[in-house]
Amino acid sequence: DGGITQSPKYLFRKEGQNVTLSCEQNLNHDAMYWYRQDPGQGLRLIYYSQIVNDFQKGDIAEGYSVSREKKESFPLTVTSAQKNPTAFYLCASRRGGGAHEQFFGPGTRLTVL
Amino acid sequence: AQTVTQSQPEMSVQEAETVTLSCTYDTSESDYYLFWYKQPPSRQMILVIRQEAYKQQNATENRFSVNFQKAAKSFSLKISDSQLGDAAMYFCAYRSEFQGGSEKLVFGKGTKLTVNP
């Protein structure tokens, strides 16, 4: 079955540690996205990648980093510079071209202890 | 910058009844796309329906339909014959171009829908 997987489902981090959230898709989609969701808020864009080896900052990129070495994979690293990292993180992909729908993974809940 | 406003933080409906969720947006573009996403307690975001602004006909997907009023910049979602499984957060989203031809979705803050048996 085609889809988007995110791991882990729950992640706990101590302050000062970097952590990496995984996002993999087998939909052969060109574009991939990372969003952050906080209680009572909509989704806010962290980073975006349109093609392999290219990515762009979204609205709240500070304290985050990404890579796109393979079409299928778009990992997100939450660095110690992110002041308030506890949130729900959602990865999405879009086929590209004239397709505008984004399809989402199941999300990762990150908690900083 | 485009903004999306959902003015109803919470709504409730009786099972089998109809409910309408409101969404307004602000844009200077003439051609664009709008979406409704559903987020059940599992937190998986699910695409419910999409609307292209150049289409005058309102989109429909089974029990879900939209009332798209382009001049008023309004995009409401109607759920008919509500079912218990419709209980979820519903997000309205606008497809926005940015940074040299890339695109992103701008989301409203969501409406929590409760379905009462």
Side-chain angles (χ1 to χ4, degrees):
Chain A
D1 290 337
I4 304 171
T5 57
Q6 291 185 242
S7 62
K9 187 173 182 178
Y10 299 98
L11 185 58
F12 298 89
R13 188 194 91 174
K14 293 182 179 179
E15 284 193 29
Q17 288 182 336
N18 294 354
V19 289
T20 297
L21 282 58
S22 170
C23 177
E24 303 277 335
Q25 55 99 359
N26 61 4
L27 300 168
N28 199 34
H29 284 180
D30 292 320
M32 297 186 74
Y33 302 79
W34 274 105
Y35 292 92
R36 170 179 171 142
Q37 186 178 25
D38 294 284
Q41 300 290 324
L43 279 65
R44 292 181 291 167
L45 182 65
I46 304 172
Y47 264 99
Y48 161 83
S49 170
Q50 194 168 357
I51 56 173
V52 175
N53 292 323
D54 179 71
F55 47 84
Q56 297 169 324
K57 293 182 179 180
D59 301 316
I60 55 166
E62 185 175 353
Y64 300 97
S65 66
V66 294
S67 63
R68 186 88 185 276
E69 298 177 359
K70 298 186 300 181
K71 188 175 185 178
E72 302 79 18
S73 179
F74 191 41
L76 173 73
T77 297
V78 185
T79 74
S80 57
Q82 169 50 234
K83 298 305 179 186
N84 185 22
T86 294
F88 188 65
Y89 291 87
L90 284 157
C91 178
S93 70
R94 179 177 64 85
R95 179 165 55 84
H100 303 294
E101 296 91 342
Q102 294 185 20
F103 297 91
F104 287 80
T108 293
R109 171 66 183 178
L110 172 63
T111 302
V112 174
L113 303 173
Chain B
Q2 290 82 6
T3 59
V4 176
T5 302
Q6 294 180 249
S7 59
Q8 306 152 316
E10 297 187 25
M11 292 281 286
S12 63
V13 63
Q14 291 297 125
E15 197 174 2
E17 300 282 301
T18 296
V19 64
T20 298
L21 308 183
S22 301
C23 173
T24 58
Y25 56 93
D26 185 26
T27 183
S28 58
E29 297 177 330
S30 59
D31 190 19
Y32 47 87
Y33 296 79
L34 295 160
F35 304 90
W36 278 99
Y37 281 86
K38 169 185 177 180
Q39 188 179 43
S42 68
R43 306 199 74 173
Q44 172 82 53
M45 293 284 284
I46 302 165
L47 178 64
V48 174
I49 200 165
R50 62 173 274 174
Q51 175 78 43
E52 294 92 337
Y54 66 87
K55 291 186 177 180
Q56 293 186 341
Q57 186 173 4
N58 289 325
T60 298
E61 289 287 343
N62 300 312
R63 298 183 295 107
F64 298 87
S65 61
V66 299
N67 183 6
F68 174 51
Q69 301 289 329
K70 190 173 183 179
K73 297 179 182 176
S74 172
F75 182 59
S76 60
L77 175 69
K78 185 172 82 171
I79 306 174
S80 303
D81 185 25
S82 297
Q83 300 175 359
L84 295 177
D86 295 333
M89 285 289 290
Y90 286 83
F91 292 95
C92 179
Y94 175 100
R95 176 254 182 188
S96 172
E97 285 194 8
F98 80 116
Q99 297 185 13
S102 304
E103 62 178 78
K104 67 176 181 179
L105 293 178
V106 177
F107 287 85
K109 293 187 176 182
T111 296
K112 182 180 180 180
L113 178 66
T114 301
V115 180
N116 299 310

PDB file of all heavy atoms in Angstrom, chain A residues 14-46:
ATOM      1  N   LYS A  14      15.439  15.046  26.122  1.00  0.00           N
ATOM      2  CA  LYS A  14      15.907  15.890  27.210  1.00  0.00           C
ATOM      3  C   LYS A  14      16.324  17.236  26.628  1.00  0.00           C
ATOM      4  O   LYS A  14      16.761  17.317  25.477  1.00  0.00           O
ATOM      5  CB  LYS A  14      17.084  15.242  27.921  1.00  0.00           C
ATOM      6  CG  LYS A  14      16.731  13.967  28.674  1.00  0.00           C
ATOM      7  CD  LYS A  14      17.949  13.416  29.382  1.00  0.00           C
ATOM      8  CE  LYS A  14      17.600  12.153  30.154  1.00  0.00           C
ATOM      9  NZ  LYS A  14      18.798  11.578  30.840  1.00  0.00           N
ATOM     10  N   GLU A  15      16.211  18.254  27.423  1.00  0.00           N
ATOM     11  CA  GLU A  15      16.631  19.573  26.968  1.00  0.00           C
ATOM     12  C   GLU A  15      18.102  19.540  26.569  1.00  0.00           C
ATOM     13  O   GLU A  15      18.926  18.894  27.221  1.00  0.00           O
ATOM     14  CB  GLU A  15      16.423  20.600  28.084  1.00  0.00           C
ATOM     15  CG  GLU A  15      14.980  21.001  28.263  1.00  0.00           C
ATOM     16  CD  GLU A  15      14.808  22.239  29.129  1.00  0.00           C
ATOM     17  OE1 GLU A  15      15.732  23.079  29.131  1.00  0.00           O
ATOM     18  OE2 GLU A  15      13.776  22.354  29.782  1.00  0.00           O
ATOM     19  N   GLY A  16      18.425  20.216  25.477  1.00  0.00           N
ATOM     20  CA  GLY A  16      19.798  20.276  25.001  1.00  0.00           C
ATOM     21  C   GLY A  16      20.162  19.203  24.003  1.00  0.00           C
ATOM     22  O   GLY A  16      21.268  19.213  23.459  1.00  0.00           O
ATOM     23  N   GLN A  17      19.253  18.266  23.751  1.00  0.00           N
ATOM     24  CA  GLN A  17      19.532  17.186  22.805  1.00  0.00           C
ATOM     25  C   GLN A  17      18.895  17.494  21.457  1.00  0.00           C
ATOM     26  O   GLN A  17      17.808  18.058  21.386  1.00  0.00           O
ATOM     27  CB  GLN A  17      18.964  15.862  23.325  1.00  0.00           C
ATOM     28  CG  GLN A  17      19.698  15.261  24.493  1.00  0.00           C
ATOM     29  CD  GLN A  17      19.100  13.936  24.905  1.00  0.00           C
ATOM     30  OE1 GLN A  17      17.929  13.669  24.652  1.00  0.00           O
ATOM     31  NE2 GLN A  17      19.892  13.105  25.549  1.00  0.00           N
ATOM     32  N   ASN A  18      19.577  17.072  20.402  1.00  0.00           N
ATOM     33  CA  ASN A  18      18.982  17.081  19.070  1.00  0.00           C
ATOM     34  C   ASN A  18      18.250  15.758  18.861  1.00  0.00           C
ATOM     35  O   ASN A  18      18.696  14.707  19.337  1.00  0.00           O
ATOM     36  CB  ASN A  18      20.049  17.221  17.989  1.00  0.00           C
ATOM     37  CG  ASN A  18      20.745  18.569  18.026  1.00  0.00           C
ATOM     38  OD1 ASN A  18      20.365  19.466  18.782  1.00  0.00           O
ATOM     39  ND2 ASN A  18      21.762  18.716  17.211  1.00  0.00           N
ATOM     40  N   VAL A  19      17.133  15.802  18.161  1.00  0.00           N
ATOM     41  CA  VAL A  19      16.436  14.574  17.802  1.00  0.00           C
ATOM     42  C   VAL A  19      16.021  14.657  16.337  1.00  0.00           C
ATOM     43  O   VAL A  19      15.763  15.750  15.822  1.00  0.00           O
ATOM     44  CB  VAL A  19      15.180  14.328  18.677  1.00  0.00           C
ATOM     45  CG1 VAL A  19      15.582  13.952  20.072  1.00  0.00           C
ATOM     46  CG2 VAL A  19      14.256  15.520  18.648  1.00  0.00           C
ATOM     47  N   THR A  20      15.922  13.489  15.699  1.00  0.00           N
ATOM     48  CA  THR A  20      15.533  13.444  14.287  1.00  0.00           C
ATOM     49  C   THR A  20      14.254  12.650  14.134  1.00  0.00           C
ATOM     50  O   THR A  20      14.135  11.531  14.628  1.00  0.00           O
ATOM     51  CB  THR A  20      16.642  12.824  13.430  1.00  0.00           C
ATOM     52  OG1 THR A  20      17.796  13.652  13.511  1.00  0.00           O
ATOM     53  CG2 THR A  20      16.198  12.727  11.975  1.00  0.00           C
ATOM     54  N   LEU A  21      13.281  13.270  13.443  1.00  0.00           N
ATOM     55  CA  LEU A  21      12.015  12.624  13.140  1.00  0.00           C
ATOM     56  C   LEU A  21      12.073  12.101  11.708  1.00  0.00           C
ATOM     57  O   LEU A  21      12.471  12.819  10.794  1.00  0.00           O
ATOM     58  CB  LEU A  21      10.877  13.634  13.281  1.00  0.00           C
ATOM     59  CG  LEU A  21      10.387  13.988  14.689  1.00  0.00           C
ATOM     60  CD1 LEU A  21      11.509  14.541  15.556  1.00  0.00           C
ATOM     61  CD2 LEU A  21       9.230  14.959  14.598  1.00  0.00           C
ATOM     62  N   SER A  22      11.605  10.890  11.533  1.00  0.00           N
ATOM     63  CA  SER A  22      11.667  10.257  10.226  1.00  0.00           C
ATOM     64  C   SER A  22      10.365  10.440   9.464  1.00  0.00           C
ATOM     65  O   SER A  22       9.276  10.398  10.040  1.00  0.00           O
ATOM     66  CB  SER A  22      11.950   8.762  10.394  1.00  0.00           C
ATOM     67  OG  SER A  22      11.791   8.074   9.174  1.00  0.00           O
ATOM     68  N   CYS A  23      10.480  10.636   8.154  1.00  0.00           N
ATOM     69  CA  CYS A  23       9.326  10.685   7.263  1.00  0.00           C
ATOM     70  C   CYS A  23       9.711   9.986   5.960  1.00  0.00           C
ATOM     71  O   CYS A  23      10.687  10.376   5.302  1.00  0.00           O
ATOM     72  CB  CYS A  23       8.900  12.114   6.982  1.00  0.00           C
ATOM     73  SG  CYS A  23       7.527  12.232   5.807  1.00  0.00           S
ATOM     74  N   GLU A  24       8.943   8.971   5.594  1.00  0.00           N
ATOM     75  CA  GLU A  24       9.187   8.211   4.373  1.00  0.00           C
ATOM     76  C   GLU A  24       7.885   8.095   3.589  1.00  0.00           C
ATOM     77  O   GLU A  24       6.832   7.866   4.172  1.00  0.00           O
ATOM     78  CB  GLU A  24       9.675   6.802   4.701  1.00  0.00           C
ATOM     79  CG  GLU A  24      10.928   6.747   5.563  1.00  0.00           C
ATOM     80  CD  GLU A  24      12.200   6.900   4.761  1.00  0.00           C
ATOM     81  OE1 GLU A  24      12.175   6.589   3.554  1.00  0.00           O
ATOM     82  OE2 GLU A  24      13.223   7.335   5.338  1.00  0.00           O
ATOM     83  N   GLN A  25       7.986   8.244   2.261  1.00  0.00           N
ATOM     84  CA  GLN A  25       6.797   8.064   1.427  1.00  0.00           C
ATOM     85  C   GLN A  25       7.126   7.177   0.230  1.00  0.00           C
ATOM     86  O   GLN A  25       8.217   7.257  -0.321  1.00  0.00           O
ATOM     87  CB  GLN A  25       6.224   9.428   0.973  1.00  0.00           C
ATOM     88  CG  GLN A  25       7.220  10.332   0.256  1.00  0.00           C
ATOM     89  CD  GLN A  25       7.130  10.325  -1.247  1.00  0.00           C
ATOM     90  OE1 GLN A  25       6.298   9.607  -1.845  1.00  0.00           O
ATOM     91  NE2 GLN A  25       7.964  11.131  -1.896  1.00  0.00           N
ATOM     92  N   ASN A  26       6.165   6.329  -0.138  1.00  0.00           N
ATOM     93  CA  ASN A  26       6.325   5.475  -1.321  1.00  0.00           C
ATOM     94  C   ASN A  26       5.285   5.802  -2.371  1.00  0.00           C
ATOM     95  O   ASN A  26       4.865   4.928  -3.137  1.00  0.00           O
ATOM     96  CB  ASN A  26       6.291   4.008  -0.924  1.00  0.00           C
ATOM     97  CG  ASN A  26       4.974   3.607  -0.272  1.00  0.00           C
ATOM     98  OD1 ASN A  26       4.051   4.420  -0.183  1.00  0.00           O
ATOM     99  ND2 ASN A  26       4.881   2.372   0.174  1.00  0.00           N
ATOM    100  N   LEU A  27       4.863   7.057  -2.390  1.00  0.00           N
ATOM    101  CA  LEU A  27       3.860   7.524  -3.344  1.00  0.00           C
ATOM    102  C   LEU A  27       4.491   8.088  -4.604  1.00  0.00           C
ATOM    103  O   LEU A  27       3.780   8.503  -5.518  1.00  0.00           O
ATOM    104  CB  LEU A  27       2.998   8.602  -2.677  1.00  0.00           C
ATOM    105  CG  LEU A  27       2.238   8.157  -1.425  1.00  0.00           C
ATOM    106  CD1 LEU A  27       1.669   9.369  -0.679  1.00  0.00           C
ATOM    107  CD2 LEU A  27       1.127   7.194  -1.814  1.00  0.00           C
ATOM    108  N   ASN A  28       5.815   8.144  -4.626  1.00  0.00           N
ATOM    109  CA  ASN A  28       6.556   8.740  -5.738  1.00  0.00           C
ATOM    110  C   ASN A  28       6.225  10.234  -5.902  1.00  0.00           C
ATOM    111  O   ASN A  28       6.232  10.773  -7.013  1.00  0.00           O
ATOM    112  CB  ASN A  28       6.295   8.000  -7.056  1.00  0.00           C
ATOM    113  CG  ASN A  28       7.366   8.298  -8.097  1.00  0.00           C
ATOM    114  OD1 ASN A  28       8.540   8.489  -7.763  1.00  0.00           O
ATOM    115  ND2 ASN A  28       6.977   8.335  -9.356  1.00  0.00           N
ATOM    116  N   HIS A  29       5.938  10.863  -4.769  1.00  0.00           N
ATOM    117  CA  HIS A  29       5.637  12.287  -4.801  1.00  0.00           C
ATOM    118  C   HIS A  29       6.920  13.102  -4.834  1.00  0.00           C
ATOM    119  O   HIS A  29       7.936  12.743  -4.221  1.00  0.00           O
ATOM    120  CB  HIS A  29       4.815  12.675  -3.570  1.00  0.00           C
ATOM    121  CG  HIS A  29       3.389  12.246  -3.668  1.00  0.00           C
ATOM    122  ND1 HIS A  29       2.470  12.492  -2.660  1.00  0.00           N
ATOM    123  CD2 HIS A  29       2.699  11.627  -4.644  1.00  0.00           C
ATOM    124  CE1 HIS A  29       1.295  12.031  -3.026  1.00  0.00           C
ATOM    125  NE2 HIS A  29       1.414  11.489  -4.224  1.00  0.00           N
ATOM    126  N   ASP A  30       6.856  14.232  -5.528  1.00  0.00           N
ATOM    127  CA  ASP A  30       8.032  15.092  -5.638  1.00  0.00           C
ATOM    128  C   ASP A  30       8.228  15.969  -4.404  1.00  0.00           C
ATOM    129  O   ASP A  30       9.346  16.164  -3.936  1.00  0.00           O
ATOM    130  CB  ASP A  30       7.906  16.002  -6.865  1.00  0.00           C
ATOM    131  CG  ASP A  30       7.989  15.225  -8.167  1.00  0.00           C
ATOM    132  OD1 ASP A  30       8.816  14.303  -8.248  1.00  0.00           O
ATOM    133  OD2 ASP A  30       7.230  15.542  -9.101  1.00  0.00           O
ATOM    134  N   ALA A  31       7.150  16.548  -3.918  1.00  0.00           N
ATOM    135  CA  ALA A  31       7.251  17.547  -2.850  1.00  0.00           C
ATOM    136  C   ALA A  31       6.951  16.935  -1.488  1.00  0.00           C
ATOM    137  O   ALA A  31       6.079  16.071  -1.358  1.00  0.00           O
ATOM    138  CB  ALA A  31       6.277  18.692  -3.117  1.00  0.00           C
ATOM    139  N   MET A  32       7.676  17.399  -0.484  1.00  0.00           N
ATOM    140  CA  MET A  32       7.446  16.946   0.880  1.00  0.00           C
ATOM    141  C   MET A  32       7.497  18.142   1.816  1.00  0.00           C
ATOM    142  O   MET A  32       8.177  19.141   1.549  1.00  0.00           O
ATOM    143  CB  MET A  32       8.468  15.887   1.291  1.00  0.00           C
ATOM    144  CG  MET A  32       8.368  14.612   0.452  1.00  0.00           C
ATOM    145  SD  MET A  32       9.428  13.269   1.004  1.00  0.00           S
ATOM    146  CE  MET A  32       8.546  12.721   2.484  1.00  0.00           C
ATOM    147  N   TYR A  33       6.759  18.019   2.930  1.00  0.00           N
ATOM    148  CA  TYR A  33       6.572  19.138   3.857  1.00  0.00           C
ATOM    149  C   TYR A  33       6.663  18.647   5.298  1.00  0.00           C
ATOM    150  O   TYR A  33       6.300  17.509   5.599  1.00  0.00           O
ATOM    151  CB  TYR A  33       5.172  19.746   3.687  1.00  0.00           C
ATOM    152  CG  TYR A  33       4.838  20.259   2.312  1.00  0.00           C
ATOM    153  CD1 TYR A  33       4.459  19.396   1.291  1.00  0.00           C
ATOM    154  CD2 TYR A  33       4.864  21.621   2.035  1.00  0.00           C
ATOM    155  CE1 TYR A  33       4.125  19.866   0.033  1.00  0.00           C
ATOM    156  CE2 TYR A  33       4.525  22.104   0.784  1.00  0.00           C
ATOM    157  CZ  TYR A  33       4.157  21.224  -0.212  1.00  0.00           C
ATOM    158  OH  TYR A  33       3.828  21.699  -1.455  1.00  0.00           O
ATOM    159  N   TRP A  34       7.065  19.556   6.172  1.00  0.00           N
ATOM    160  CA  TRP A  34       6.970  19.344   7.615  1.00  0.00           C
ATOM    161  C   TRP A  34       6.141  20.472   8.215  1.00  0.00           C
ATOM    162  O   TRP A  34       6.401  21.660   7.965  1.00  0.00           O
ATOM    163  CB  TRP A  34       8.344  19.329   8.276  1.00  0.00           C
ATOM    164  CG  TRP A  34       9.006  17.996   8.253  1.00  0.00           C
ATOM    165  CD1 TRP A  34      10.035  17.585   7.470  1.00  0.00           C
ATOM    166  CD2 TRP A  34       8.678  16.874   9.082  1.00  0.00           C
ATOM    167  NE1 TRP A  34      10.367  16.285   7.744  1.00  0.00           N
ATOM    168  CE2 TRP A  34       9.556  15.830   8.739  1.00  0.00           C
ATOM    169  CE3 TRP A  34       7.730  16.655  10.093  1.00  0.00           C
ATOM    170  CZ2 TRP A  34       9.520  14.576   9.347  1.00  0.00           C
ATOM    171  CZ3 TRP A  34       7.695  15.422  10.701  1.00  0.00           C
ATOM    172  CH2 TRP A  34       8.582  14.393  10.338  1.00  0.00           C
ATOM    173  N   TYR A  35       5.152  20.064   9.034  1.00  0.00           N
ATOM    174  CA  TYR A  35       4.305  21.003   9.751  1.00  0.00           C
ATOM    175  C   TYR A  35       4.398  20.742  11.247  1.00  0.00           C
ATOM    176  O   TYR A  35       4.619  19.611  11.683  1.00  0.00           O
ATOM    177  CB  TYR A  35       2.838  20.856   9.343  1.00  0.00           C
ATOM    178  CG  TYR A  35       2.520  21.267   7.932  1.00  0.00           C
ATOM    179  CD1 TYR A  35       2.550  20.345   6.894  1.00  0.00           C
ATOM    180  CD2 TYR A  35       2.159  22.575   7.636  1.00  0.00           C
ATOM    181  CE1 TYR A  35       2.243  20.717   5.595  1.00  0.00           C
ATOM    182  CE2 TYR A  35       1.844  22.959   6.339  1.00  0.00           C
ATOM    183  CZ  TYR A  35       1.886  22.023   5.331  1.00  0.00           C
ATOM    184  OH  TYR A  35       1.572  22.397   4.044  1.00  0.00           O
ATOM    185  N   ARG A  36       4.158  21.787  11.983  1.00  0.00           N
ATOM    186  CA  ARG A  36       4.059  21.683  13.432  1.00  0.00           C
ATOM    187  C   ARG A  36       2.641  22.043  13.840  1.00  0.00           C
ATOM    188  O   ARG A  36       2.044  22.998  13.315  1.00  0.00           O
ATOM    189  CB  ARG A  36       5.055  22.650  14.081  1.00  0.00           C
ATOM    190  CG  ARG A  36       4.885  22.808  15.573  1.00  0.00           C
ATOM    191  CD  ARG A  36       5.894  23.737  16.178  1.00  0.00           C
ATOM    192  NE  ARG A  36       5.562  24.010  17.566  1.00  0.00           N
ATOM    193  CZ  ARG A  36       6.456  24.126  18.538  1.00  0.00           C
ATOM    194  NH1 ARG A  36       7.757  24.031  18.259  1.00  0.00           N
ATOM    195  NH2 ARG A  36       6.059  24.369  19.768  1.00  0.00           N
ATOM    196  N   GLN A  37       2.081  21.272  14.787  1.00  0.00           N
ATOM    197  CA  GLN A  37       0.735  21.542  15.295  1.00  0.00           C
ATOM    198  C   GLN A  37       0.788  21.685  16.807  1.00  0.00           C
ATOM    199  O   GLN A  37       1.273  20.789  17.508  1.00  0.00           O
ATOM    200  CB  GLN A  37      -0.232  20.423  14.908  1.00  0.00           C
ATOM    201  CG  GLN A  37      -1.674  20.727  15.298  1.00  0.00           C
ATOM    202  CD  GLN A  37      -2.636  19.637  14.864  1.00  0.00           C
ATOM    203  OE1 GLN A  37      -2.264  18.488  14.685  1.00  0.00           O
ATOM    204  NE2 GLN A  37      -3.895  19.999  14.702  1.00  0.00           N
ATOM    205  N   ASP A  38       0.298  22.805  17.303  1.00  0.00           N
ATOM    206  CA  ASP A  38       0.200  23.055  18.738  1.00  0.00           C
ATOM    207  C   ASP A  38      -1.276  23.089  19.132  1.00  0.00           C
ATOM    208  O   ASP A  38      -2.135  23.388  18.297  1.00  0.00           O
ATOM    209  CB  ASP A  38       0.879  24.379  19.091  1.00  0.00           C
ATOM    210  CG  ASP A  38       2.382  24.331  18.865  1.00  0.00           C
ATOM    211  OD1 ASP A  38       3.054  23.718  19.704  1.00  0.00           O
ATOM    212  OD2 ASP A  38       2.850  24.880  17.855  1.00  0.00           O
ATOM    213  N   PRO A  39      -1.586  22.831  20.405  1.00  0.00           N
ATOM    214  CA  PRO A  39      -2.999  22.820  20.834  1.00  0.00           C
ATOM    215  C   PRO A  39      -3.706  24.111  20.463  1.00  0.00           C
ATOM    216  O   PRO A  39      -3.198  25.201  20.704  1.00  0.00           O
ATOM    217  CB  PRO A  39      -2.872  22.651  22.351  1.00  0.00           C
ATOM    218  CG  PRO A  39      -1.572  21.950  22.555  1.00  0.00           C
ATOM    219  CD  PRO A  39      -0.660  22.491  21.485  1.00  0.00           C
ATOM    220  N   GLY A  40      -4.886  23.961  19.886  1.00  0.00           N
ATOM    221  CA  GLY A  40      -5.685  25.131  19.536  1.00  0.00           C
ATOM    222  C   GLY A  40      -5.184  25.892  18.328  1.00  0.00           C
ATOM    223  O   GLY A  40      -5.700  26.978  18.029  1.00  0.00           O
ATOM    224  N   GLN A  41      -4.218  25.315  17.639  1.00  0.00           N
ATOM    225  CA  GLN A  41      -3.644  25.992  16.479  1.00  0.00           C
ATOM    226  C   GLN A  41      -3.831  25.144  15.235  1.00  0.00           C
ATOM    227  O   GLN A  41      -3.956  23.935  15.297  1.00  0.00           O
ATOM    228  CB  GLN A  41      -2.154  26.230  16.693  1.00  0.00           C
ATOM    229  CG  GLN A  41      -1.835  27.095  17.898  1.00  0.00           C
ATOM    230  CD  GLN A  41      -2.253  28.524  17.694  1.00  0.00           C
ATOM    231  OE1 GLN A  41      -2.163  29.080  16.605  1.00  0.00           O
ATOM    232  NE2 GLN A  41      -2.743  29.149  18.746  1.00  0.00           N
ATOM    233  N   GLY A  42      -3.789  25.785  14.127  1.00  0.00           N
ATOM    234  CA  GLY A  42      -3.710  25.050  12.875  1.00  0.00           C
ATOM    235  C   GLY A  42      -2.299  24.548  12.671  1.00  0.00           C
ATOM    236  O   GLY A  42      -1.474  24.559  13.587  1.00  0.00           O
ATOM    237  N   LEU A  43      -2.020  24.105  11.473  1.00  0.00           N
ATOM    238  CA  LEU A  43      -0.685  23.611  11.153  1.00  0.00           C
ATOM    239  C   LEU A  43       0.171  24.766  10.630  1.00  0.00           C
ATOM    240  O   LEU A  43      -0.302  25.592   9.840  1.00  0.00           O
ATOM    241  CB  LEU A  43      -0.782  22.512  10.078  1.00  0.00           C
ATOM    242  CG  LEU A  43      -1.140  21.116  10.552  1.00  0.00           C
ATOM    243  CD1 LEU A  43      -2.541  21.048  11.123  1.00  0.00           C
ATOM    244  CD2 LEU A  43      -0.988  20.131   9.394  1.00  0.00           C
ATOM    245  N   ARG A  44       1.417  24.773  11.055  1.00  0.00           N
ATOM    246  CA  ARG A  44       2.344  25.806  10.590  1.00  0.00           C
ATOM    247  C   ARG A  44       3.520  25.137   9.884  1.00  0.00           C
ATOM    248  O   ARG A  44       4.069  24.160  10.377  1.00  0.00           O
ATOM    249  CB  ARG A  44       2.826  26.659  11.761  1.00  0.00           C
ATOM    250  CG  ARG A  44       1.730  27.518  12.379  1.00  0.00           C
ATOM    251  CD  ARG A  44       2.286  28.366  13.517  1.00  0.00           C
ATOM    252  NE  ARG A  44       2.663  27.561  14.661  1.00  0.00           N
ATOM    253  CZ  ARG A  44       3.390  28.010  15.687  1.00  0.00           C
ATOM    254  NH1 ARG A  44       3.837  29.258  15.679  1.00  0.00           N
ATOM    255  NH2 ARG A  44       3.672  27.228  16.698  1.00  0.00           N
ATOM    256  N   LEU A  45       3.917  25.692   8.759  1.00  0.00           N
ATOM    257  CA  LEU A  45       4.935  25.091   7.911  1.00  0.00           C
ATOM    258  C   LEU A  45       6.332  25.345   8.464  1.00  0.00           C
ATOM    259  O   LEU A  45       6.723  26.486   8.700  1.00  0.00           O
ATOM    260  CB  LEU A  45       4.832  25.653   6.494  1.00  0.00           C
ATOM    261  CG  LEU A  45       5.796  25.087   5.461  1.00  0.00           C
ATOM    262  CD1 LEU A  45       5.504  23.604   5.220  1.00  0.00           C
ATOM    263  CD2 LEU A  45       5.699  25.873   4.157  1.00  0.00           C
ATOM    264  N   ILE A  46       7.104  24.265   8.609  1.00  0.00           N
ATOM    265  CA  ILE A  46       8.472  24.366   9.103  1.00  0.00           C
ATOM    266  C   ILE A  46       9.454  24.407   7.928  1.00  0.00           C
ATOM    267  O   ILE A  46      10.240  25.344   7.805  1.00  0.00           O
ATOM    268  CB  ILE A  46       8.825  23.179  10.019  1.00  0.00           C
ATOM    269  CG1 ILE A  46       7.837  23.055  11.170  1.00  0.00           C
ATOM    270  CG2 ILE A  46      10.248  23.335  10.551  1.00  0.00           C
ATOM    271  CD1 ILE A  46       8.028  21.797  12.003  1.00  0.00           C
TER     272      ILE A  46
END
